[in-house]
Amino acid sequence: MKLWDKGISIDIKIEQFTVGNDREIDLHIAKYDVQASLAHAIMLESIGIISSEELKQLKRGLQSIAETIENGTFVIEESFEDVHSKIEYELTKTLGDVGKKIHTARSRNDQVLVALQLYYKENLKEINTKTKTFFDTLLGLAETHKNALLPGYTHLQVAMPSSFGLWFSAYAEVLIDDVYLLNAALKTVDQNPLGSAAGYGSSFPIDRDLTTKELNFSTLKYNVVAAQMSRGKSERTIALALGSVCNTLARFAMDICVYNSQNFGFIAFPDELTTGSSIMPHKKNPDVFELIRGKANKIQALHHEMVLITNNLPSGYHRDFQLLKENIIAAIEDVKDLLDIFNYAIQQVIVKEIDLNDAKYQYLFTVDNINTLVVEGMPFREAYKKIGGEVENGTYKPDTSKKHTHVGSIGNLCLEEIRRKFPE
């Protein structure tokens, strides 16, 4: 069954190619299509297109379908093109002609669009919640380990003293920037496109404000052409926001892989969180963080894909948009999993005590020692040359007594200020 079926047969090879794996992907948006169909039915009754009795029947039919989706028994068989045709078929099978009325004043274009935007809205909120959970975990670790010193690096060379508190809270605060983008993506998709039909509206006197309220959208996408043009633009915006989150996760995972290695030895994890080698019995590999890094890097490429699919399409609907669904939905589901597993694993990190008196860390304190000379009255450039000369001729002796006290430094982490900065 196809919503556009006019009784003309279509070549089976063409059908298989154009449908692709939409049936499997559409299971993610099935419940949202039911929600949108219910709102649409309520609107149709309000303008006199269907009767109150017909609305009651459609409500019962849609509720029954929603229950099968909820309990996992809802299936889109191969005889259906997509979730939308399946749901209309079930309504028609149960309700007869009443079921056939559900598509009045609606196109598959705005039907797909509204279901996707409802899915995006709910899942972006869920990603926000999971990001906040991860953020809280990192600030908790920063508080626990705020006094544990850690060598800081630039160019992967020993630079200046840092701390685990500074490290954990750095990634926490960077997550706030990611949430700014997630919230921008959420605002982008929180606009009701229902009623735009195939992109040019309808001659029925539909009430788009009513469906906006019923579906809890913040506003309408008023212009019907603009509503259809949001297909692709929404996905590009979401992909950019997901990529930002994943950039943070990938960089953090890389730090962990480096710090966990024997050459650094700053942290460790319980054996049950690591994997071994088939020939090297000593190996305890941080595979979970390597996979987080790889998956997160893959998702960062998604924005480029969304741009290339949609960049030069003219206004109006094009079948190219179908290609957006699979990878954007997969990315959303993957980001939720990445945040969950990262949050689970990082809570079990073992922070090791690091001896900063070790010879390889002796230059960590050169800047502090320059600053001491400046406080004592020596011009900075002369102090820099003096300490630099001592380093070169091997007479440098580190003084580790200098304290860092300014806002955001190892001695003043501002954890509560960072906590309050997280967007509501």
Side-chain angles (χ1 to χ4, degrees), residues 143-383:
E143 177 64 36
T144 300
H145 302 289
K146 62 184 178 183
N147 296 321
L149 290 181
L150 173 72
Y153 290 81
T154 63
H155 307 277
L156 277 179
Q157 298 183 67
V158 168
M160 290 178 65
S162 181
S163 71
F164 282 99
L166 199 63
W167 182 54
F168 286 124
S169 59
Y171 279 105
E173 189 166 8
V174 169
L175 283 171
I176 294 173
D177 299 334
D178 302 330
V179 172
Y180 292 152
L181 290 180
L182 287 171
N183 285 343
L186 179 58
K187 191 168 186 177
T188 299
V189 301
D190 195 12
Q191 305 176 78
N192 181 21
L194 189 57
S196 59
Y200 299 97
S202 171
S203 58
F204 289 105
I206 58 175
D207 186 347
R208 297 188 65 208
D209 289 318
L210 190 153
T211 56
T212 300
K213 183 177 178 181
E214 288 289 332
L215 293 171
N216 198 31
F217 281 107
S218 293
T219 187
L220 267 162
K221 199 73 169 183
Y222 290 98
N223 185 295
V224 291
V225 175
Q228 284 301 317
M229 288 174 69
S230 67
R231 189 89 180 266
K233 195 173 188 71
S234 294
E235 285 78 8
R236 291 197 301 272
T237 305
I238 293 167
L240 184 65
L242 296 181
S244 184
V245 174
C246 286
N247 176 266
T248 301
L249 299 182
R251 294 183 70 181
F252 194 11
M254 182 62 186
D255 274 5
I256 289 169
C257 291
V258 169
Y259 289 179
N260 184 69
S261 68
Q262 292 93 332
N263 287 355
F264 287 78
F266 298 159
I267 58 174
F269 288 89
D271 289 351
E272 56 268 24
L273 264 65
T274 64
T275 61
S277 163
S278 62
I279 63 170
M280 294 174 283
H282 65 281
K283 294 297 292 294
K284 295 179 181 179
N285 301 321
D287 282 10
V288 64
F289 296 104
E290 292 174 353
L291 287 170
I292 288 171
R293 182 179 60 200
K295 286 174 177 281
N297 286 338
K298 180 181 177 183
I299 291 169
Q300 288 181 77
L302 183 64
H303 179 254
H304 191 54
E305 177 185 314
M306 299 292 103
V307 168
L308 289 178
I309 291 174
T310 63
N311 203 38
N312 58 354
L313 294 180
S315 61
Y317 178 77
H318 310 278
R319 194 63 180 266
D320 311 52
F321 291 137
Q322 178 180 328
L323 303 178
L324 302 172
K325 281 196 301 185
E326 181 175 7
N327 286 349
I328 196 72
I329 288 175
I332 286 170
E333 299 300 324
D334 280 347
V335 169
K336 292 189 294 185
D337 288 343
L338 290 175
L339 286 165
D340 282 343
I341 194 64
F342 212 142
N343 187 64
Y344 172 78
I346 198 63
Q347 292 181 68
Q348 301 178 64
V349 67
I350 300 165
V351 170
K352 295 184 178 180
E353 187 173 344
I354 303 168
D355 181 10
L356 296 188
N357 293 315
D358 189 305
K360 62 178 171 285
Y361 303 132
Q362 65 174 323
Y363 298 135
L364 273 175
F365 300 95
T366 57
V367 177
D368 287 350
N369 299 162
I370 291 170
N371 293 348
T372 297
L373 293 175
V374 171
V375 169
E376 293 172 352
M378 186 178 293
F380 174 82
R381 189 53 58 199
E382 288 187 21

Side-chain angles (χ1 to χ4, degrees), residues 27 30-31 34-35 63-74 122:
L27 290 174
K31 79 170 188 175
V34 170
Q35 291 173 12
Q63 178 59 37
S64 177
I65 294 170
E67 288 171 1
T68 65
I69 294 169
E70 183 68 26
N71 64 31
T73 59
F74 181 80
E122 185 168 306

Side-chain angles (χ1 to χ4, degrees), residues 38-141:
L38 176 58
H40 186 68
I42 291 170
M43 185 277 296
L44 291 177
E45 190 270 342
S46 76
I47 63 171
I49 298 296
I50 63 174
S51 68
S52 59
E53 179 56 36
E54 288 172 328
L55 175 59
K56 288 178 183 177
Q57 292 180 54
L58 285 169
K59 282 183 175 180
R60 285 196 297 270
L62 289 167
Q63 178 59 37
S64 177
I65 294 170
E67 288 171 1
T68 65
I69 294 169
E70 183 68 26
N71 64 31
T73 59
F74 181 80
V75 177
I76 306 172
E77 294 87 353
E78 287 190 8
S79 54
F80 298 97
E81 187 174 23
D82 52 33
V83 67
H84 318 292
S85 53
K86 165 70 174 181
I87 288 174
E88 185 169 325
Y89 169 82
E90 291 295 334
L91 288 174
T92 302
K93 184 177 73 171
T94 305
L95 305 175
D97 285 348
V98 175
K100 295 178 183 179
K101 295 185 177 183
I102 192 64
H103 203 60
T104 306
R106 192 167 63 163
S107 165
R108 186 169 63 164
N109 292 11
D110 66 339
Q111 190 175 358
V112 174
L113 191 50
V114 71
L116 281 170
Q117 300 217 167
L118 289 169
Y119 167 83
Y120 295 151
K121 267 187 65 176
E122 185 168 306
N123 282 275
L124 284 170
K125 289 178 180 178
E126 187 176 349
I127 288 171
N128 250 336
T129 299
K130 291 178 183 295
T131 303
K132 179 60 163 60
T133 299
F134 190 39
F135 170 86
D136 288 339
T137 294
L138 295 182
L139 284 189
L141 288 168

